[in-house]
Amino acid sequence: MTSCSRPEDLYLYLEGELGPYDARKLEEHVECCPSCREALEERRLLHEAFTSLPPFEVPADFARSVMDSLPEPETRTAGWLAPLFAAVTALTVGLVGFHLFTGLSVFEVLVAVNRFFGTAIAQAAPLAAKTLKVGGVLLNVAGDLLAMGFAGLSAFSRVLGPQGVALVVGLGGLLSLLAFFGARRFLHQGERS
Amino acid sequence: MNTRGQDALSMTEDRQLVSRALKGDRKAYEMIVRKYEQPLTSYLGRMTGEREAALDFAQEVFLKAYCSLASYRPAFKFSTWLFKIASNHIIDHWRKKKLPTVSLDQPVDDEEGCLMPQVADPGPSVARKFELAEIREKIERALASVPAALRELFVLRHVNEFSYEEIADIKGLPVGTVKNRVFQAKELLRKRMEGS
């Protein structure tokens, strides 16, 4: 006969949480162990009571009172909608104001506005295109130069090895310092003479 | 909380309701409130022991959930997310009131000594003394005397019918710890009922 079941296994068995092998073992044991059979029956009744505890009563108007206590919703409007709406409103007000002020018809005003923007765009477009083209070429050149620089540096470090690179960097630093102090001294002597 | 098929359906429904609520549809959030008002109040009621306090807490939890709805990730279950808020809300309340807490690293003390979960102790057949309704009444009364940290896990498991994995997610505990504590709560309840 297998050893007596642990009380936690009895609960897990009743909840269907015990694996099939352990569940079978427990069933076999309970068959021939009166003490465990009694313990299982007791837990079964308790388990039934645990799982059928009544829910709390909620007043019918509870959801309504929750909704009344909520702040106004923060609706997710697109960020560009408000400025667009403002721009359209300003344009409409401007057109109507211009019409009232000058007596010109809205249609004439629209034609004039259209002509003004058309001319502006016609002048600005080639300039913008040229700027973009020159910018692109400059970016390409800068990219190529950087790539060449990196390739040169990596080839240099491959040839010299890490110690060689450290030596060159150290020598370079030393020469720079010498050049710097030498230039200062030379300038001071120039001032004195 | 229920079967897998119902779970999946409920999750999809919750995601749709949350999505609509985020777009400003208050009716959708009201449907969420109606769906969860009873499980949430049942949980909070057992944690506070007072119906009125439970209703006040439930209202505050729904408000908190509404205000942080944008932080809800649809990959997770809405019910788990909501109960995590509720659990933290209760803990905050207890901290503010400075209620004594019980360390659960040690076995829970009973009047009759230490409750040792490993020892098989069939004990006298208490359950047979009462009919099911009587047992439920006794459980409700005994529940108030169970340490809050054990009571909470018991309620989440048996009143709210969360799986052990879901409770582990809500409480940020390992599944084994949750199983052990729910068992401790049940054995403690059994012993308290036995003594009554």
Side-chain angles (χ1 to χ4, degrees), chain B residues 158-169:
Chain B
H158 290 299
V159 176
N160 298 114
E161 296 175 12
F162 280 110
S163 71
Y164 284 114
E165 287 74 17
E166 286 169 341
I167 300 171
D169 190 26

Side-chain angles (χ1 to χ4, degrees), chain A:
Chain A
M1 193 171 90
T2 51
S3 57
C4 284
S5 312
R6 303 179 311 164
E8 58 259 54
D9 286 344
L10 297 179
Y11 285 119
L12 291 176
Y13 171 75
L14 293 167
E15 288 176 49
E17 291 280 335
L18 210 58
Y21 175 73
D22 291 328
R24 186 82 203 110
K25 244 172 55 175
L26 189 142
E27 282 163 3
E28 278 171 7
H29 174 76
V30 164
E31 283 287 310
C32 49
C33 177
S35 146
C36 282
R37 196 160 49 242
E38 194 185 336
L40 182 65
E41 282 318 303
E42 184 189 344
R43 262 72 170 196
R44 196 189 296 280
L45 194 58
L46 278 175
H47 176 74
E48 211 177 313
F50 289 154
T51 51
S52 58
L53 290 172
F56 264 52
E57 289 292 315
V58 179
D61 62 344
F62 177 75
R64 198 62 262 154
S65 67
V66 169
M67 294 312 292
D68 290 343
S69 74
L70 298 183
E72 279 305 305
E74 286 178 23
T75 49
R76 282 181 173 179
T77 49
W80 50 269
L81 265 179
L84 182 71
F85 180 72
V88 169
T89 312
L91 189 67
T92 312
V93 170
L95 285 173
V96 173
F98 192 79
H99 165 69
L100 291 174
F101 189 69
T102 60
L104 290 170
S105 73
V106 174
F107 179 72
E108 281 170 322
V109 175
L110 277 173
V111 168
V113 168
N114 185 36
R115 198 169 290 151
F116 170 77
F117 280 113
T119 316
I121 288 167
Q123 281 172 354
L127 190 68
K130 271 180 195 164
T131 313
L132 278 173
K133 203 171 179 180
V134 171
V137 170
L138 283 174
L139 273 175
N140 274 342
V141 170
D144 287 346
L145 280 174
L146 272 173
M148 277 166 66
F150 280 124
L153 272 175
S154 64
F156 185 62
S157 65
R158 251 199 318 274
V159 171
L160 292 178
Q163 283 132 347
V165 171
L167 189 69
V168 169
V169 169
L171 275 174
L174 194 67
L175 281 172
S176 308
L177 282 173
L178 282 173
F180 175 70
F181 285 113
R184 273 186 67 179
R185 199 166 174 185
F186 178 76
L187 286 171
H188 279 298
Q189 273 174 355
E191 276 171 19
R192 272 188 220 136
S193 64

Side-chain angles (χ1 to χ4, degrees), chain B residues 26-171:
Chain B
R26 286 170 77 92
K27 205 82 196 151
Y29 194 72
E30 190 173 340
M31 283 168 80
I32 292 176
V33 174
R34 288 196 191 282
K35 184 174 176 183
Y36 288 104
E37 61 185 7
Q38 199 164 60
L40 194 65
T41 315
S42 294
Y43 161 76
L44 292 166
R46 260 96 188 189
M47 295 312 293
T48 58
E50 291 169 44
R51 189 170 170 274
E52 287 308 310
L55 289 171
D56 288 346
F57 278 136
Q59 183 153 353
E60 286 161 17
V61 169
F62 279 123
L63 177 63
K64 266 191 182 178
Y66 183 76
C67 292
S68 47
L69 209 54
S71 71
Y72 165 67
R73 296 280 158 268
F76 301 98
K77 279 183 82 173
F78 181 79
S79 56
T80 315
W81 182 77
L82 184 69
F83 274 77
K84 205 180 275 188
I85 295 175
S87 175
N88 290 336
H89 190 69
I90 283 277
I91 291 169
D92 284 348
H93 169 73
W94 284 333
R95 276 203 194 120
K96 274 179 205 155
K97 283 189 88 178
K98 294 192 174 122
L99 289 185
T101 52
V102 177
S103 166
L104 294 172
D105 295 333
Q106 302 296 319
V108 180
D109 277 336
D110 199 15
E111 286 94 358
E112 296 163 14
C114 247
L115 180 69
M116 297 301 288
Q118 287 78 19
V119 181
D121 172 27
S125 184
V126 171
R128 291 197 209 300
K129 289 181 194 166
F130 312 102
E131 291 297 328
L132 208 56
E134 272 180 301
I135 297 173
R136 281 195 213 107
E137 245 175 67
K138 290 223 166 215
I139 290 171
E140 293 283 9
R141 275 202 296 274
L143 204 53
S145 67
V146 172
L150 296 184
R151 185 165 77 238
E152 181 179 22
L153 300 185
F154 171 84
V155 171
L156 287 172
R157 175 75 187 130
H158 290 299
V159 176
N160 298 114
E161 296 175 12
F162 280 110
S163 71
Y164 284 114
E165 287 74 17
E166 286 169 341
I167 300 171
D169 190 26
I170 291 170
K171 295 302 298 172

